[in-house]
Amino acid sequence: MEIRVFDTKQQLGEAAAKRGAEAIRSALRNKGKASIIVATGASQFEMLEVLIREPDIDWSKVTAFHLDEYVGMKKSHPASFRRYLIERFVEPLGGKVTLHEINAENNPEAEAGRLSKLIMDESIDVCFAGIGENCHLAFNDPPADFETDKPYIIVDLDEACRRQQMGEGWFATLEDVPAQAISMSIKQIMKSSLIILSVPDQRKAQAVKNALEGLVTPLHPASILQNHNNTVALLDTQSASLLSCAPKV
């Protein structure tokens, strides 16, 4: 795994966007199209700001999937991840990119099945992702399912995950945070040709250490990325503070 550490979140986000843009341009040159996975949350703000401004990308030939969405979440809710991606990704690109939204409002089982069929035959060129404070990958909270072959699954959110969502300001109280979500599965994420992990902030330091230096275990879901052959972990000095050896850019 390639690990890079930056002084600021802005530098981290810029590096993630530029690395991802290179992969998208390469796919467009070689295949005439590109398929990507985009993440949401506070860790992706800076990356998306830069990515949408990257030159020489024909976004009309790019298909995007996203990692997760809360069960029962209306698109109008401020914490909706599909709303997040429409406002921060699709609309700034003039609607050119194709985003397969996760709509988990009414029938999450059917929606997980629909999305699974859509992504099953796709070759994902780059996955933009983050790590949760509990070391989750997407919404695969510990203990994560490392074995399921289903691309999208319905998961229960643990208290640590739900407290993180409240702490980041997406919800007013813990009770407001949904208890379930549709999430891309671990195996589906691992099929990506390139995984770009953006993880800033001190509050993620222990999760980063567990993911990058600990045992590969469902109790630390993101640790599975140690088994991926092309993952780039981009950190800031705070999130990397507990690593035994962290090369700084």
Side-chain angles (χ1 to χ4, degrees):
M1 186 185 298
E2 179 184 344
I3 301 172
R4 303 176 68 193
V5 181
F6 299 85
D7 288 327
T8 68
K9 286 194 283 187
Q10 188 59 46
Q11 291 171 336
L12 186 164
E14 182 174 348
K18 290 188 177 302
R19 189 66 169 267
E22 289 177 9
I24 295 170
R25 283 191 285 263
S26 177
L28 292 174
R29 285 194 304 269
N30 296 329
K31 302 188 302 181
K33 64 177 183 177
S35 295
I36 69 174
I37 296 167
V38 281
T40 53
S43 67
Q44 306 299 309
F45 288 160
E46 292 81 8
M47 185 279 292
L48 284 172
E49 287 175 1
V50 177
L51 183 64
I52 59 176
R53 298 197 303 268
E54 277 294 298
D56 303 320
I57 295 176
D58 184 350
W59 288 102
S60 68
K61 296 179 180 177
V62 177
T63 299
F65 295 86
H66 65 117
L67 286 172
D68 41 38
E69 180 60 283
Y70 300 105
V71 166
M73 178 64 67
K74 293 185 179 298
K75 195 174 187 175
S76 58
H77 194 289
S80 166
F81 292 137
R82 52 187 173 137
R83 173 178 174 171
Y84 173 117
L85 287 173
I86 288 169
E87 292 180 349
R88 295 177 179 271
F89 181 56
V90 177
E91 289 179 349
L93 292 172
K96 294 178 182 178
V97 65
T98 297
L99 173 67
H100 291 299
E101 298 179 30
I102 302 175
N103 181 352
E105 283 187 47
N106 301 311
N107 193 335
E109 292 84 2
E111 181 69 348
R114 182 186 73 87
L115 292 162
S116 292
K117 289 179 181 177
L118 284 172
I119 201 172
M120 198 170 292
D121 296 324
E122 291 281 347
S123 176
I124 302 298
D125 300 295
V126 56
C127 170
F128 297 95
I131 291 177
E133 292 176 25
N134 64 354
C135 206
H136 71 204
L137 185 60
F139 263 151
N140 297 286
D141 285 341
D145 188 343
F146 281 3
E147 303 303 324
T148 183
D149 290 314
K150 296 179 180 178
Y152 281 91
I153 57 177
I154 297 172
V155 296
D156 295 323
L157 304 181
D158 70 12
E159 184 173 331
C161 171
R162 295 172 67 233
R163 286 193 179 280
Q164 176 184 331
Q165 307 309 315
M166 181 186 69
E168 290 182 355
W170 301 107
F171 299 92
T173 69
L174 183 64
E175 290 69 30
D176 292 331
V177 185
Q180 289 187 312
I182 292 178
S183 177
M184 189 176 289
S185 69
I186 293 292
K187 276 193 173 181
Q188 180 60 49
I189 294 169
M190 292 289 283
K191 290 179 181 179
S192 305
S193 296
L194 169 65
I195 298 176
I196 298 176
L197 210 59
S198 299
V199 194
D201 299 332
Q202 183 67 42
R203 61 193 172 89
K204 302 282 185 76
Q206 187 61 55
V208 166
K209 184 172 180 63
N210 291 339
L212 305 189
E213 295 184 342
L215 295 174
V216 176
T217 168
L219 297 177
H220 300 143
S223 66
I224 193 67
L225 295 174
Q226 294 179 39
N227 294 340
H228 191 267
N229 62 7
N230 194 20
T231 290
V232 181
L234 304 178
L235 315 172
D236 64 7
T237 52
Q238 294 183 358
S239 64
S241 61
L242 298 181
L243 293 180
S244 59
C245 181
K248 188 174 177 182
V249 174

